[in-house]
């Protein structure tokens, strides 16, 4: 969904490296089916436009899987991004740069300051969206994303207007939510299980 | 650099289900090979959009860089120091047989011999790449004749020499042309050794200190002149003394040229070095330790009498003596046995034991970009080992050159 600008593709902190080491090398995907933005392209805007085109040519995104930042960003759509934005070049927020410094030997001068990223609008076009949110440090962003209104300062809140989005969270990520909200969603699982079980026992009875 | 077109057509081989030694650690990674070299699969994926043409399951084994033996005097009845008519076929026989020990590159070693032998034998042992025919020859190791009389060990006294008269010219007169020479072992206390060491080092020849009664100062000066190796540490040199550590003191010397450390050969066959001594050396300077076999022609043969240089040798079980004496005459433990014994005696990590037989000798010879490593771009010379470090298969340039019986289907 994104890649740093100006970072060599084989740098251990590039998203190409991340995807290779954590996903691609473990599966048998055809390399031709893997598309990652090139942060070293000669014409960055053309690279972004081409990416949008490739998505369209592939028939659109069926499933978008992502996480969020502590500032509620989705991909690198930092606070203040347009909620109808497309794939483009973004300057990274100071918070993001500071958070990334630990991956660059703590040297701020080594941290990339720009990235190519899919837009909020690009992700909203996906047929299904799954966002994974874990840890107490993401709790406030999760609160802003689902219990407050849609706001471009917390870009992941845009998915309140998506027809088919699921947020998968752990206990710690819910720490800033109302108890009532957490109970509601936990309760849903309980009701779901009650609906499913009788079906199975009916089947086995036959 | 080859053209992109040629590379695109060459088959890519992927070794899976293995642990590879890379970056000083055993990683759960696949090894990718193309055109005899190790390639970067991430680069293949993103730039060439390429998958492997063939996958080989390594059954959970360890893949280590092929072992490099920088001191081996012969084996299987072959004696490199004998002025045979067909030295080449003897070298080839040893090169082929040591593949089963996991050795993919080696330095045939000649002990102290008369000049006629050097002049006849050296031209017949050219540097040669390894392959299905056998391990690669990196160059010859000349151990002697410029060594100490007192510490000659099994070397024949009659053929010892000095270079006091004409320094490097004496060296050339003795050996003949040095084209095929990779390592020279000498005693630095001999007169004019500094000139000789400098001249040899300037030609890219590795100078090793051994069979010597040098004190630490003489040894340090030799290193400052360009010596980089110690031949079989502890053997054939003065014992460590707390007021003059001798050559052994180089392991912890603070008078070495900046950024450089000394490498030292160790025969970890269970006989030549007491395990406690092995541990002292290893703990003092683990990164410089180079496992060598110092194997004699009796390697791979049974008990009995055999020839080494100009002398007779008696083999008894795992030990070889100068016939009629109690002087050790080289080892007959294969390299993989040495690796296992070293691991067990020192309790070091598997990674370090493997590096002592591969990375360290490659570093000694300045070959660490191509040999002794499984980094991208290196030659695909590697050995497949089970968890107890027994050799299951040996590969050179990505080609299977030896396989254990049980592994064959």
């Amino acid at each position: 969904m994104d890649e740093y600008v100006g970072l060599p593709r084989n740098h251990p902190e590039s998203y190409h490296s991340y995807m290779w080491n954590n996903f691609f090398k473990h599966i048998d995907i055809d390399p031709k089916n893997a598309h990652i933005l090139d942060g070293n392209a000669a014409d960055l805007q053309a690279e972004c436009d081409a990416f949008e085109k490739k998505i369209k040519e592939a028939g659109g995104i069926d499933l978008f899987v992502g996480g969020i930042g502590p500032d509620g960003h989705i991909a690198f759509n930092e606070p203040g991004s347009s909620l109808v934005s497309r794939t483009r070049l973004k300057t990274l927020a100071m918070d993001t740069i500071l958070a990334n410094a630990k991956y660059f030997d703590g040297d701020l001068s080594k941290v990339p300051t720009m990235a190519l990223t899919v837009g909020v609008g690009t992700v909203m076009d996906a047929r299904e969206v799954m966002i994974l949110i874990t840890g107490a440090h993401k709790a406030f962003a999760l609160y802003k994303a689902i219990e407050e209104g849609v706001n471009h300062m917390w870009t992941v809140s845009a998915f309140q207007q998506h027809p088919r989005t699921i947020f998968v969270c752990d206990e710690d990520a819910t720490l800033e939510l109302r108890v009532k909200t957490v109970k509601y969603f936990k309760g849903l699982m309980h009701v779901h299980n009650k609906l499913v079980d009788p079906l199975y026992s009916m089947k086995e009875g036959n | 650099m080859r053209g992109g077109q040629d590379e695109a057509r060459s088959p890519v081989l992927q070794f899976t289900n293995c642990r590879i030694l890379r970056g000083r650690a055993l990683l759960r990674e696949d090894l990718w090979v193309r055109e005899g070299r190790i390639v970067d699969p991430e680069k293949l994926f993103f730039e060439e959009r390429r998958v492997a043409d063939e996958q080989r399951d390594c059954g959970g084994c360890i893949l280590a860089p092929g072992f490099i033996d920088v001191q081996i005097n012969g084996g299987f009845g072959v004696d490199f120091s004998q002025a045979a008519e067909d030295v080449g076929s003897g070298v080839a026989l040893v090169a082929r047989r040591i593949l089963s020990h996991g050795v993919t590159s080696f330095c045939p070693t000649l002990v102290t011999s008369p000049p006629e032998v050097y002049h006849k034998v050296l031209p017949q042992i050219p540097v040669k790449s390894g392959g299905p025919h056998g391990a690669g020859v990196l160059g010859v190791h000349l151990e002697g004749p410029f060594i100490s009389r007192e510490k000659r060990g099994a070397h024949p006294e009659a053929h010892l020499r000095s270079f006091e008269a004409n320094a490097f010219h004496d060296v050339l007169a003795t050996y003949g042309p040095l084209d095929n020479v990779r390592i020279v072992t000498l005693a630095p206390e001999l007169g004019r050794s500094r000139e000789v060491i400098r001249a040899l080092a300037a030609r890219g020849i590795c100078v090793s200190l051994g069979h010597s009664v040098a004190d630490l100062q003489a040894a340090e000066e030799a290193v400052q002149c360009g010596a980089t190796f110690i031949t079989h540490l502890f053997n054939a040199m003065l014992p460590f003394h707390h007021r003059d550590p001798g050559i052994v003191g180089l392991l912890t010397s603070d008078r070495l040229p900046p950024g450089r450390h000394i490498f030292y050969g160790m025969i970890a066959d269970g006989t030549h070095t007491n395990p406690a001594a092995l541990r002292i050396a290893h703990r003092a300077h683990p990164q410089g330790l180079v496992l060598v076999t110092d194997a004699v022609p009796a390697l791979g043969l049974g008990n009995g009498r055999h020839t080494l240089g100009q002398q007779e040798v008696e083999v008894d079980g795992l030990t070889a003596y100068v016939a009629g004496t109690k002087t050790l005459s080289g080892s007959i433990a294969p390299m993989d046995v040495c690796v296992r014994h070293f691991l067990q005696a020192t309790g070091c990590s598997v990674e370090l034991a493997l590096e002592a037989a591969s990375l360290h000798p490659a570093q000694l010879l300045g070959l660490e970009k191509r040999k002794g490593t499984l980094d991208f771009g290196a030659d695909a010379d590697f050995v497949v080992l089970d968890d107890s470090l027994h050799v299951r298969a040996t590969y050179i340039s990505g080609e299977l050159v030896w396989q254990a019986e049980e592994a064959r289907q």
Side-chain angles (χ1 to χ4, degrees), chain B residues 32-333:
Chain B
W32 293 60
V33 176
R34 176 167 62 183
E35 288 188 344
R37 300 265 194 108
I38 297 169
V39 291
D40 181 354
E42 189 182 339
K43 204 158 182 256
L44 274 175
F45 187 90
F46 288 123
E47 287 180 19
E48 292 179 53
R49 306 262 155 200
R50 184 101 185 247
V51 289
D53 297 286
E54 188 194 330
Q55 288 190 337
R56 279 198 208 163
D57 189 319
C58 298
C61 281
I62 293 171
L63 264 52
F67 301 145
I68 299 173
D69 193 354
V70 299
Q71 188 173 6
I72 168 171
N73 308 288
F76 314 97
V78 172
D79 179 357
F80 296 141
S81 304
Q82 279 252 301
E85 281 312 315
D86 184 12
V87 172
S89 61
V91 173
L93 193 157
V94 173
R96 190 169 45 79
R97 296 293 298 271
I98 58 179
L99 292 177
S100 67
H101 305 156
V103 178
T104 53
S105 300
F106 69 113
C107 293
T109 304
L110 268 68
V111 297
T112 295
S113 302
E116 309 86 75
V117 170
Y118 295 118
H119 287 102
K120 183 157 188 179
V121 170
L122 281 180
Q124 297 187 59
I125 312 182
V127 169
K128 189 175 176 180
S129 296
H133 55 274
V137 174
L138 297 174
V140 176
H141 178 168
L142 296 175
E143 192 191 10
F146 303 104
I147 56 173
S148 148
R149 191 157 303 266
E150 194 189 319
K151 290 294 180 186
R152 69 186 184 280
H155 293 229
E157 186 168 1
H159 301 294
L160 300 181
R161 291 170 89 85
S162 98
F163 34 56
E164 216 162 70
N166 294 309
F168 192 63
H169 294 288
D170 283 338
V171 172
L172 287 176
T174 303
Y175 295 140
L178 297 174
D179 307 333
N180 298 334
V181 176
R182 200 70 192 79
I183 307 174
V184 170
T185 292
L186 52 78
E189 70 273 19
L190 296 184
R192 301 185 74 178
S193 69
R194 282 186 245 181
E195 291 170 57
V196 170
I197 294 172
R198 280 197 207 100
L200 289 168
R203 274 165 180 70
I205 291 173
C206 167
V207 178
S208 184
L209 308 179
H211 288 276
S212 158
V213 295
D215 58 19
L216 179 58
Q217 189 178 342
E220 283 167 340
E221 281 163 9
V223 174
Q224 282 151 13
C225 291
T228 53
F229 196 43
I230 301 173
T231 299
H232 46 56
L233 187 78
F234 296 129
N235 298 104
M237 57 185 63
L238 292 175
F240 175 87
H241 184 281
H242 52 290
R243 273 190 296 279
D244 189 350
I247 292 176
V248 178
L250 287 176
L251 266 59
T252 46
S253 167
D254 57 359
R255 298 237 182 93
L256 304 186
R260 268 220 279 132
H261 65 80
I262 193 78
F263 288 94
Y264 57 100
M266 293 226 71
I267 307 170
D269 65 343
T271 307
H272 277 69
T273 316
N274 185 293
L278 193 56
R279 282 190 287 273
I280 285 178
H282 158 68
R283 287 181 202 173
H285 182 31
Q287 295 307 320
L289 201 149
V290 173
L291 290 174
V292 301
T293 60
D294 197 13
V296 294
L299 168 74
L301 304 179
N303 294 340
R305 266 199 180 210
H306 308 276
T307 317
L308 169 62
Q310 309 295 315
Q311 291 194 322
E312 295 288 306
V313 159
E314 185 80 42
V315 170
D316 177 16
L318 278 175
T319 326
Y321 298 96
V322 176
T325 77
K326 279 280 149 204
T327 306
L328 293 175
S329 181
S331 154
I332 48 175

Side-chain angles (χ1 to χ4, degrees), chain A residues 1 25 42-44 53-54 57-58 64 120 125 133 140-141 147 174-176 180 194:
Chain A
M1 67 182 87
K25 80 177 181 195
D43 183 344
L44 295 171
K53 191 154 175 265
K54 279 186 215 159
E57 282 164 2
F64 178 92
V120 181
D125 283 349
I133 304 163
F140 193 72
E147 286 187 337
T174 64
L175 283 172
E176 293 281 355
K180 186 164 135 182
K194 274 197 169 313

Side-chain angles (χ1 to χ4, degrees), chain B residues 376-409:
Chain B
F376 306 136
D379 292 346
D381 297 351
F382 60 94
V383 56
V384 181
L385 303 158
D386 62 23
D387 281 345
S388 58
L389 301 190
H390 282 84
V391 181
R392 315 288 304 145
T394 306
Y395 283 80
I396 292 182
S397 290
E399 212 182 330
L400 179 66
V401 296
W402 184 83
Q403 196 173 31
E405 275 306 325
E406 316 86 72
R408 288 172 212 170
Q409 294 302 318

Side-chain angles (χ1 to χ4, degrees), chain B residues 333-347:
Chain B
M335 182 59 96
D336 61 315
V337 170
C338 292
V339 171
R340 290 194 292 277
H341 179 261
F342 175 68
L343 176 73
Q344 176 260 315
T346 59

